[in-house]
Amino acid sequence: MENWQAIASTITFLSVIFFVMTEWIHLTIAAFLGALILVFTNVLTLNEAIGYIGNSYSTIALFFGVMVLVRAFEPTKVFEYLATQIVILAKGQGKRLLLGIVAITTPICAFLPNATTVMLLAPLIPPIAEEVGVNFVPLLILMVFVANSAGLLTLVGDPATFIVGDAVNVSFVDYLTRLSLGGVVAVITVVAMLPFLFRKIWHKDLEDLEHLPHPKINHPQVLTLGIVLIAGVLIFFVIGEMLPIPISPAAVALLGAALALLLSHHSKIDTVNNILRDVDWSTLIFFMSIFVLIGGLEKTGVVTSLSGVLAAILGKNIALGSLALLFFVGIVSSVVPNIPLVVAMVPLLKQYVVNIGLASPAILEKSFTGELPAEVLPLFYAMMFGATLGGNGTLVGASSNIVAAGIAEQHGRRISFKTFLKYGLPIMAVQLIAAAIYVTIRFLI
């Protein structure tokens, strides 16, 4: 590929990141314009750009489906009702509220993708914060940290863990025995930092619980049907791909959205136009644009060149390579969304272990179903931890971060890049160090 195209794609990508960080341009506009620049400079044709979006159709479809599903039941006021109950259970104490968010988010994220969990739970946060009298932005950011961290608990908790696990043919049970403890360490790290990062909320006490608003559930019969629908969607998220005729989470989410629209329309609790108007189109366009930008880097060979530099530095030292990879991927993942990063890195890492003679070329075949040599697995595990935990570093590091930012805007507040960075950098740094210690003790000693 011609050098000017590689240079153009790199400059465009870095410019988008710069404008997102400085907030001179709204992140969706910056990414959208960046993607269009690649098309108009002929780095990518329009068909190729749409193809890169199409390759990630499952992510876009999943997000759209869950957005519609959650929005369809807002008229029932179920989110306001649950928010009040959570504040009452926390007895108005900020520390209990923070720990409660951790306790609610962690088990759900063990089995559902983290961005999906944030979409389902985030609507609870603004009314909770309003009742306690605090800014809801830090609470949303905490939910994101927990969602990203708890995604390491199981193979299906985070798209990045699933992509890496699938690439090295790790089963669900093998993951539990080898890697889940690392997810526990990541969540404990967040809990340990709560009194320091969220000091104001930690010490907040709401003494007068009697005067809390007590919203009532609207349309209880519709909500009952909605709960059955959501429960079915969650069940099929977990078991759908294990059925004789596999059903992907994206297809399940779209069917759930269609049924939710049907229920809302025929019960007359809301109109289809209102529901679709309130979908977070800004977040969806941002993700589509990012997939195009990453596609430009892949097509022009930028990602491959970076992996070659990495291989030259690491040599055959697996222990040093694993730890270096954990921090390298962690830092890169803080500015590059971890899903496309992992998709690009997996084949490159496989090629690296083949080139240094530690694995057979057979692992490069798409049909390969065997196990990789045990001595190279720490490299892939380190990449998994780095990609997932590095996503906590900045606003653009993980899909759940962008989802939370979109939800905040819908409720009248912006999560700025600087605000997220204030919380994200300390969490990311401590978690990467903790993960490095875990990987060293568990796999390298």
Side-chain angles (χ1 to χ4, degrees):
M1 189 57 60
E2 295 183 23
N3 286 337
W4 76 265
Q5 290 185 314
I7 293 170
S9 62
T10 302
I11 291 175
T12 302
F13 179 79
L14 293 177
S15 298
V16 169
I17 297 300
F18 173 77
F19 285 121
V20 170
M21 291 176 66
T22 58
E23 297 177 347
W24 290 355
I25 302 177
H26 188 281
L27 59 88
T28 300
I29 298 172
F32 195 21
L33 284 175
L36 289 172
I37 286 171
L38 295 186
V39 173
F40 279 90
T41 55
N42 205 36
V43 173
L44 296 172
T45 65
L46 184 58
N47 282 342
E48 287 173 329
I50 293 173
Y52 281 113
I53 296 172
N55 291 340
S56 303
Y57 74 91
S58 58
T59 301
I60 303 299
L62 178 68
F63 288 177
F64 173 78
V66 175
M67 286 175 183
V68 172
L69 194 60
V70 171
R71 170 59 184 82
F73 297 108
E74 275 188 8
T76 65
K77 293 194 176 295
V78 63
F79 300 115
E80 291 87 342
Y81 175 81
L82 290 175
T84 300
Q85 300 310 308
I86 290 171
V87 173
I88 292 172
L89 287 173
K91 298 181 179 179
Q93 295 181 15
K95 64 180 70 175
R96 286 175 178 249
L97 182 59
L98 292 172
L99 292 171
I101 290 174
V102 176
I104 292 169
T105 308
T106 298
I108 297 176
C109 270
F111 298 99
L112 292 182
N114 46 19
T116 305
T117 302
V118 170
M119 284 183 206
L120 290 172
L121 297 182
L124 296 174
I125 298 299
I128 288 176
E130 183 179 352
E131 291 175 8
V132 177
V134 297
N135 183 356
F136 70 75
V137 166
L139 296 180
L140 263 185
I141 292 174
L142 170 61
M143 177 175 284
V144 165
F145 291 157
V146 177
N148 292 340
S149 304
L152 285 166
L153 290 171
T154 69
L155 184 63
V156 298
D158 186 280
T161 62
F162 181 79
I163 291 166
V164 178
D166 185 57
V168 297
N169 298 319
V170 173
S171 70
F172 191 90
V173 175
D174 285 341
Y175 187 98
L176 291 178
T177 57
R178 297 180 196 174
L179 296 159
S180 287
L181 183 57
V184 174
V185 171
V187 174
I188 290 174
T189 302
V190 175
V191 173
M193 296 183 72
L194 289 179
F196 308 102
L197 279 182
F198 303 92
R199 186 179 295 109
K200 184 177 179 181
I201 298 175
W202 182 267
H203 294 291
K204 179 80 175 180
D205 280 327
L206 186 65
E207 296 179 359
D208 187 8
L209 297 179
E210 295 298 323
H211 290 85
L212 280 176
H214 292 279
K216 295 183 179 180
I217 295 291
N218 292 336
H219 316 290
Q221 292 180 328
V222 175
L223 179 60
T224 301
L225 292 174
I227 291 171
V228 173
L229 173 59
I230 292 173
V233 168
L234 296 180
I235 290 170
F236 278 94
F237 273 164
V238 177
I239 70 169
E241 293 186 304
M242 295 182 279
L243 296 174
I245 300 176
I247 306 173
S248 71
V252 172
L254 291 176
L255 178 60
L259 293 175
L261 287 172
L262 179 67
L263 182 59
S264 296
H265 176 71
H266 281 280
S267 62
K268 293 183 169 50
I269 66 170
D270 210 340
T271 67
V272 173
N273 286 340
N274 283 344
I275 295 170
L276 294 180
R277 181 193 62 204
D278 292 341
V279 167
D280 188 2
W281 295 106
S282 174
T283 297
L284 294 177
I285 292 171
F286 175 82
F287 278 117
M288 288 187 280
S289 301
I290 284 292
F291 288 134
V292 174
L293 289 167
I294 296 295
L297 294 177
E298 289 180 3
K299 179 186 174 183
T300 56
V302 174
V303 176
T304 303
S305 299
L306 287 174
S307 71
V309 173
L310 189 64
I313 295 172
L314 298 181
K316 290 189 176 183
N317 191 327
I318 296 298
L320 175 63
S322 297
L323 296 178
L325 197 64
L326 190 152
F327 286 102
F328 171 78
V329 172
I331 293 170
V332 174
S333 182
S334 67
V335 293
V336 179
N338 56 13
I339 296 174
L341 176 65
V342 167
V343 169
M345 285 293 294
V346 164
L348 302 176
L349 198 54
K350 283 187 174 183
Q351 185 68 59
Y352 160 65
V353 297
V354 169
N355 289 346
I356 61 175
L358 292 179
S360 163
I363 70 168
L364 301 177
E365 300 293 332
K366 291 185 177 181
S367 57
F368 178 74
T369 57
E371 291 189 5
L372 271 66
E375 61 265 31
V376 305
L377 287 176
L379 290 166
F380 292 88
Y381 298 158
M383 180 175 67
M384 182 188 296
F385 280 107
T388 303
L389 299 177
N392 282 333
T394 73
L395 184 62
V396 297
S399 53
S400 53
N401 307 13
I402 304 299
V403 168
I407 291 171
E409 282 199 19
Q410 288 182 324
H411 287 84
R413 286 184 182 267
R414 287 182 61 249
I415 301 179
S416 70
F417 194 93
K418 292 178 182 177
T419 299
F420 196 99
L421 200 65
K422 180 178 73 173
Y423 296 97
L425 274 185
I427 283 282
M428 182 187 77
V430 175
Q431 285 189 318
L432 289 179
I433 292 170
I437 294 171
Y438 172 75
V439 169
T440 300
I441 294 173
R442 179 69 177 82
F443 301 109
L444 301 177
I445 296 179

